[in-house]
Amino acid sequence: MQEALIQIVLYTIKEKYRTEKEFYSSQLSISQDNWERWKNNEISLKTKDEQAIINLFTDYEWMLVQKVIRNATFFPEVETHPVEEYLGIKFHVAKKWVSSGNAELSFQQDNEKEATDQYRKKNMTILKIDMNYDFWSYKDRVELSLPGIIQQQIETEKQDLLEWFKENIEDHYAR
């Protein structure tokens, strides 16, 4: 397993869950010892546990993760900073999609949250950026985690989400 993958997974868990323990105990049902051994590349996970890790990402994000892992084998700067590479390319893609005029932006709704919501961070909101290709079931999505107050401000001020994105996203997401 690649160190780049571990770093990206750990960052994503930190972004979405209050603690690593809440992730591995609720989603993987493995012990702390096995979690530490996985992080140290000493053991592999069961297929269902690997799928739980993949589910941390959208399909498109998972494809980006795979590209970063591949590039980490060729480029020392990517190997050294895989999380920054992943976040940078994800943010770049989101901006390109929005600037194309074809992306749909929305906040994750309460009914879309998983049953594991009790373990997730409460002070954040997920901005979904969807690119629809007009083929049934073919849509790509990237999700940006933002401070929860952003959604409240936009809704209170009745500001258009697309307008807010174009004017403010660099302040809140650029790494």
Side-chain angles (χ1 to χ4, degrees):
M1 183 175 37
Q2 301 271 336
E3 180 63 27
L5 172 63
I6 294 169
Q7 288 183 40
I8 294 168
V9 166
L10 292 177
Y11 174 85
T12 304
I13 289 169
K14 245 184 227 180
E15 189 177 54
K16 294 183 177 196
Y17 287 82
R18 292 185 299 229
T19 65
E20 282 182 36
K21 182 177 182 178
E22 289 179 342
F23 172 75
Y24 69 73
S25 62
S26 71
Q27 300 301 302
L28 306 182
S29 300
I30 63 174
S31 68
Q32 180 178 0
D33 182 54
N34 281 343
W35 178 246
E36 294 299 325
R37 291 176 64 208
W38 177 81
K39 289 187 338 184
N40 292 324
N41 206 16
E42 297 170 3
I43 65 168
S44 296
L45 296 175
K46 294 178 183 174
T47 304
K48 72 175 187 60
D49 294 333
E50 288 176 354
Q51 188 60 50
I53 287 178
I54 292 169
N55 289 343
L56 287 167
F57 306 92
T58 68
D59 290 343
Y60 194 85
E61 290 168 343
W62 184 245
M63 183 264 311
L64 292 176
V65 168
Q66 298 305 305
K67 288 180 181 235
V68 170
I69 291 168
R70 183 199 64 215
N71 286 348
T73 63
F74 299 114
F75 304 109
E77 61 275 13
V78 177
E79 180 182 29
T80 306
H81 303 288
V83 172
E84 290 82 358
E85 183 80 6
Y86 168 69
L87 294 175
I89 193 65
K90 183 169 106 166
F91 186 61
H92 178 78
V93 165
K95 289 190 318 184
K96 284 280 194 186
W97 286 359
V98 170
S99 69
S100 76
N102 295 320
E104 297 174 15
L105 284 76
S106 62
F107 286 113
Q108 180 173 313
Q109 301 301 311
D110 288 340
N111 62 351
E112 293 176 294
K113 294 180 181 174
E114 298 177 24
T116 60
D117 189 45
Q118 67 190 23
Y119 301 108
R120 296 201 177 249
K121 287 189 172 181
K122 302 288 186 205
N123 59 349
M124 59 170 283
T125 189
I126 304 294
L127 176 61
K128 300 182 307 182
I129 302 157
D130 292 326
M131 183 61 99
N132 192 336
Y133 302 111
D134 297 325
F135 287 97
W136 180 80
S137 84
Y138 290 96
K139 176 170 38 174
D140 284 326
R141 172 179 292 164
V142 293
E143 297 178 344
L144 304 178
S145 297
L146 298 169
I149 192 74
I150 300 295
Q151 182 176 0
Q152 294 170 352
Q153 288 172 346
I154 291 171
E155 290 170 353
T156 302
E157 297 172 11
K158 306 249 187 284
Q159 184 177 16
D160 180 74
L161 183 53
L162 180 59
E163 176 186 314
W164 179 88
F165 183 92
K166 289 178 179 177
E167 293 174 5
N168 300 292
I169 196 64
E170 295 283 341
D171 298 337
H172 294 283
Y173 200 80
R175 308 265 182 229

